[in-house]
Amino acid sequence: MWLPPVICVVACDITQKGYEKKRSKLLGAYLSHPPGKSPNSQLTNKCNRIKRIPFISFLFFSSSDVHTEAVQAALAKHKERKMAVPMPSKRRSLVVQTSMDAYTPPDTSSGSEEEGGQGEGTPTSSQGSVSMEHWISRAIHQGSTTSSSSSSTQSGGSGAAGRLADVLAQTHVENHSAPPDVTTYTSEHPVQVERPQVSTVPRTTPKYGNAELMETGDGVPVSSRVSAKIQQLVNTLKQPSVPSPHYTDDFFQPDPNQPRPEGAQMVAIRGEPLGVVTNWPPSLEAALQRWGTISPKAPCLTTMDTNGKPLYVLTYGKLWSRSIKVAYNILHKLGTKQEPMVRPGDRVALVFPNNDPAAFMVAFYGCLLAEVVPVPIEVPLTRKDAGSQQIGFLLGSCGVTVALTSDACHKGLPKGPTGEIPQFKGWPKLLWFVTESKHLSKPPRDWFPHIKDANNDTAYIEYKTCKDGSVLGVTVTRIALLTHCQALTQSCGYTEAEIIVNVLDFKKDVGLWHGILTSVMNMMHVISIPYSLMKVNPLSWIQKVCQYKAKVACVKSRDMHWALVAHRDQRDINLSSLRMLVVADGSNPWSISSCDAFLNVFQSKGLRPEVICPCASSAEALTVAIRRPTDDSNQPPGRGVLSMQGLSHGVIRVDSEERLSVLTVQDVGTVMPGALMCVVKPEGVPQLCRTDEIGELCVCSIATGMSYYGLSGMTKNTFEVFPMSSSGAPISEYPFTRTGLLGFIGPGGLAFVSGKMDGLMVVSGRRHNADDIVATALAVEPMKFVYRGRIAVFSVTVLHDERIVVVAEQRPDSTEEDSFQWMSRVLQAIDSIHNVGVFCLALVPANTLPKTPLGGIHLSETKQLFLEGSLHPCNVLMCPHTCVTNLPKPRQKQPEIGPASVMVGNLVSGKRIAQASGRDLGQIEDNDQARKFLFLSEVLQWRAQTTPDHVLFTLLSSRGAVLSSLTCLQLHKRAEKIATMLMERGHLQDGDHVALVYPPGIDLIAAFYGCLYAGCVPITVRPPHPQNIATTLPTVKMIVEVSRSACVMTSQVISKLLKSKEASAAVDVRTWPPVLDTDDLPKKKPPQLYKPSNPDTLAYLDFSVSTTGMLAGVKMSHTATSAFCRSIKLQCELYPSREVAICLDPYCGLGFVLWCLCSVYSGHQSILIPPSELEVNPALWLMAVSQFRVRDTFCSYSVMELCTKGLGLQTESLKSRGLDLSRVRTCVVVAEERPRIALTQSFSKLFKDLGLHPRAVSTSFGCRVNLAICLQGTSGPDPTTVYVDMRALRHDRVRLVERGSPHSLPLMESGKILPGVRIIIANPETKGPLGDSHLGEIWVHCAHNGSGYFTVYGDEALQSDHFNSHLSFGDTQTVWARTGYLGFLRRTELTDASGERHDALYVVGALDEAMELRGMRYHPIDIETSVIRTHKSIMECAVFPWTNLLVVVVELEGSEQEALDLVPLVTNAVLEEHYLIVGVVVVVDIGVIPINSRGEKQRMHLRDGFLADQLDPIYVAYNM
């Protein structure tokens, strides 16, 4: 039988020389040598200090300290590599809350630059310290660390900041305006989309203060803290320490070079036979009866108060008599004689606090005597206690109706108003029964419990909490209970009347088995130490061992650790009486350090090394193995130094101790008497492992649990396992029980445990144990920043693999920077030692993690809080870049296929070329009088003559009253006066440009027609906002300058504003062109009205700022303007008898045309509602629609959102005010984007009760080159919705899927194509036509296309192809305009008015906004939708790329404490749904994401504001 050479069993002292050699080999590589000293001389000095170390302490080094030293060595290695992790930025208020004012902000000359940074100089340093962020940015921007403030350049940098500064000083980052590409997989020359930007027009300034100061040539701010940090993140991500991701299609492939087991197949190990001792009782109750009658005065249990004084001694006589009393009362005093509540075999709950073992013991034995099944559980402290709900489910499934409890506990339970105990969440209805003797009836003299021999009935149920938080009940039969007590008695050598000190929880596990059950079988005396006493006095158990000269103590490593910390002031400790110290969690590999350290300190106080007895146990298999107390101190325990790398592949490899990542394990003794043990593979069929393989320990014995109560399927998989040899034959006819422990059996039949199944995390096919990772985290400067017992490690599944999450409680006095340093070091340590990345490391404030009743961390509850975003951490570090190595391959762009093969390919596959058109204008016969005129100005004159008193425009106030209205004649007269003013006061010529700066209203309309009458070219400009001149006025100034306006026309109020003192602070007011105020007009008419010579001349300029921050002016000719109005008239069937309500901004695009032009052309009345008035009165628009009985109305998304949010709860009161929307047949949202289905649907649903027909709501689509391409209109089929696969869309393909299928994205048709419009879908790169249902750029040909961009420099060649492009093959003659939007056409089954099949146009998104990431095309809105769904506190989201990092900005509604909860949720959602790693998460206040008047997000403004450090974010997380 091959055995792994694992265990070093050495019995002698190690020599000084051997020790030095070993130690220098281990640490030589990592010790730093001061100059002039050789490494050896330093080592010798070190070793001289530790002369003559007996072997036991070397073992101590080689186990627990080796790990700490290994961690420190690994970190030293990292230091050489100089990894700089950008520290997250926090708002000061957040910092103060979380670190409890434990530091004061540094008082230095650079204090102003560092909002939210901390000082990190040591308290003694006399020089001021500069914040880390200041260091970083200075290092980046100057390439050196010299500075004016003499902070700490002489001393080589203060603390961490100095180190970072050195790192960065050596990286010499130049000032790139756009930092270099991080990702390794993009091609050298990215494919450029041939749609050059309107870059000749200066950018408008962002809304955030004066970012102009910081912009480089392409409008990207650089010298800010933020861009410095991003640069730093970029540099860190470039470093080789991050494993380069291996991209796979099936998400995970095993490493071909991983170690594999090579040993022979293991053989099951048999324990010694269970000795038959004549005086062993036939059952535990019989033992109680015997001691209770023959030694009634013998002490059974002594309980302690919180001062460590004996509180009460329970004798065997009292235990016996009281248990009988409890048994009688349970059976006879609950319910009625005919209908007792509890019968033998029923389950009852035992609810006793941890400081009352005596009451528990009486109740437990009372149940055994009554033959009912006790289910011991924890005391529920509150109605929503962590994990208490699951315990309730267990009680429910066990059919528990009665809970036994003590008087004190009953008084302490939460009570309802009438004094009854409320039902706890998830618990069944219980009768609470107090077991104190004074409350019980005496049993009659003739009543006596029936004491049988142990049989297969269930004796008790022990609860067990699983990894996912669910609670199972393990049933233990009476024979198993007795056999287990016998096996423990034999292996521990228990004898009558021995004294045993128990610190463990007596309700379950080792504490129950030794301190309640086996003790009674042997008439032992238990001294029970409650957890509350341990908290006050950690040495209490050692003091009780001395005081009572106890032979045995049952403890956990925690108790040994606490004693170590507290023992210094104790003199008279003597532990020589101890023959056995049972370490209950000795199977946890990390208990070895506590055992060693404890022995090291207490050996001098009489503790013998062989006394320490670690044991391994589990709820299912009871005691699995225990080290026997020997008298032979020559038999040292077994140790194994195993390679972590091997362990992660489930293989035992002895480490030569050269490497850092080792796990030292100690044996947990041999198999229990009368049991058979083997090791099987953890997954799949229970096949025997090889001798050098880690597997799950399985035990075949009478003394194990029997089943999970009520769960037969799970029981079969755990308690009825038949291990098989490699030939497939079972190794025994008896079933084995899985213990849930991972390990192996070493030489001499010693069992070794390397971890638990529950703590197992399988990351990329390798197994890691949560406990090991906790140990590594604690070895990093352990107690300075976090609490020892307060670390939780678990895994969450993200993107088809488990990801490791570490959560720790931070000490209140550690500063922000300390914590961050600790976090980055923990990451490095875990990476070095376990070779695995931590996905997320979170620190939470002290005492905030959910606790188990005994004070440990409730793991599943913590995980639940993390996943639902309610953990409220005060520090978070995410490392998706390092961890996620299973992203699908990035897309490689294929070489383009030539035109001819595309044509042939389309023909062969029977595809239609994707083209569609609206109705042909030439074919439509209608009595359109306005068609006779070429110019709108003529149409107005004609209307003024024929229908002078017909009202064209009505403007409403915020109260819904008519503010003013204009008839045809009034408008004509007013326009004439304005024309006169332009000619006389403005001295303007034909063709001069005039900027119209008016609020939305009637003056704007009159001024527009006045310009046409005077032969001038109007440009409508949104007026500056009086409360926000600094950011809005520069945009006005820029449009006026770029449009080359010869004068500005405006109202008196605005003209004063333009020249005010506030204005002069924002712009140079002396350079305004002449400003004409139209409030006092000349009385006379102009000599004659201007008539243009050629309809192709310019009618007006349409200026707007795109969402990418580009300002562009589009030239609209008279022909195009008239054609546009005619097209809309036909589509919406507009006539003079109609009213149309318009709630849009009248400055550009379709909004301007509807507000100013359509009424004059079609003669209908326009009811004008300025959108800004809705902020005062959200119901204004809908009330107007109802009041004027409007059939057609137009609004923007922002108006729709205002109504949905502002009127959501008011539909009933609106109905009572008579609001009726049943007459509306079209409600069109005017937009230049993909339809927002969620918003339109919720709007329709909300106002359905007010008569709004769901079919009425639709969208339109327009863009810069053509202000309206689609508009739903009145006739024609309803808009259709399709579902496309988002993953295909990223590859520019359209794949239709069923509704609700994974990765499906709903797209709504953008309205019907307008009359006279032709559309084709073309490939934006090759300009070739595409087939039906293919994604491409939408190209449009029609009479109302714009005629080109108006630019200052006349540099039109650059953008000319936007307005006159030709296909590269097919129909190469037609002139098309490129919209810059991606979309597809799809022929539907519906028919339109002409009986043709209807072609639907689906808009996907703007090419400008689309992000090229990992070779794929992403639309920001898709990522934003995923992010908004992740947490209820995220109100709005915007994303943008920066140097190939994805930046996600979220607006937080709620307390700033929640800010950090969002970071992991956002990162997970984007990974899971889009296969993208988020680089930076920015949490900001509501309203920070800029949104323009059309309701579109200005993502590029946001980007500039972020990089210029102007957002004042609550938190910025840089994902590693």
Side-chain angles (χ1 to χ4, degrees), residues 1136-1207:
S1137 55
R1138 289 276 156 82
E1139 283 96 19
V1140 174
I1142 295 164
C1143 189
L1144 290 166
D1145 269 328
Y1147 299 107
C1148 62
L1150 184 54
F1152 164 74
V1153 173
L1154 289 165
W1155 189 282
C1156 290
L1157 310 184
C1158 287
S1159 275
V1160 170
Y1161 186 90
S1162 313
H1164 61 272
Q1165 180 185 354
S1166 289
I1167 292 143
L1168 307 176
I1169 303 152
S1172 53
E1173 302 291 2
L1174 264 70
E1175 288 169 20
V1176 186
N1177 174 11
L1180 172 64
W1181 167 51
L1182 295 177
M1183 288 304 273
V1185 167
S1186 164
Q1187 182 186 334
F1188 288 91
R1189 306 180 166 211
V1190 167
R1191 292 177 65 179
D1192 304 287
T1193 180
F1194 295 86
C1195 69
S1196 64
Y1197 279 124
S1198 30
V1199 165
M1200 197 168 259
E1201 199 157 22
L1202 255 172
C1203 292
T1204 316
K1205 284 186 177 159
L1207 306 174

Side-chain angles (χ1 to χ4, degrees), residues 776-787:
T776 301
L778 284 175
V780 181
E781 299 163 274
M783 300 309 121
K784 262 194 215 157
F785 309 112
V786 297
Y787 296 100

Side-chain angles (χ1 to χ4, degrees), residues 1034-1045:
T1035 311
V1036 176
K1037 187 84 161 52
M1038 190 183 289
I1039 296 177
V1040 169
E1041 284 169 5
V1042 170
S1043 62
R1044 297 207 212 110
S1045 296

Side-chain angles (χ1 to χ4, degrees), residues 96-259:
V96 173
Q97 282 165 322
T98 53
S99 53
M100 298 161 70
D101 298 316
Y103 62 85
T104 47
D107 179 17
T108 63
S109 54
S110 66
S112 59
E113 301 178 21
E114 39 131 322
E115 297 126 30
Q118 276 78 22
E120 55 280 309
T122 50
T124 52
S125 73
S126 52
Q127 306 144 321
S129 68
V130 181
S131 86
M132 175 179 192
E133 301 184 352
H134 177 66
W135 268 104
I136 292 170
S137 55
R138 188 168 346 122
I140 284 185
H141 293 306
Q142 296 166 8
S144 76
T145 50
T146 50
S147 73
S148 52
S149 73
S150 65
S151 62
S152 49
T153 39
Q154 300 84 10
S155 60
S158 70
R163 291 201 294 276
L164 273 174
D166 296 344
V167 174
L168 294 169
Q170 282 155 13
T171 50
H172 283 299
V173 182
E174 281 83 42
N175 255 349
H176 295 297
S177 55
D181 199 341
V182 194
T183 38
T184 45
Y185 38 70
T186 43
S187 56
E188 287 295 281
H189 309 288
V191 183
Q192 283 296 322
V193 177
E194 289 185 39
R195 281 201 77 252
Q197 283 295 6
V198 190
S199 54
T200 47
V201 180
R203 227 169 222 273
T204 54
T205 40
K207 104 177 189 196
Y208 311 101
N210 42 5
E212 304 132 291
L213 309 177
M214 319 202 53
E215 295 191 341
T216 54
D218 57 354
V220 175
V222 273
S223 69
S224 70
R225 271 192 323 190
V226 173
S227 48
K229 288 200 167 182
I230 292 194
Q231 179 66 61
Q232 190 187 346
L233 180 57
V234 166
N235 292 342
T236 308
L237 293 178
K238 273 163 124 179
Q239 294 191 0
S241 69
V242 179
S244 60
H246 53 275
Y247 301 96
T248 55
D249 290 326
D250 54 352
F251 287 104
F252 169 67
Q253 281 165 345
D255 173 10
N257 305 323
Q258 69 183 46

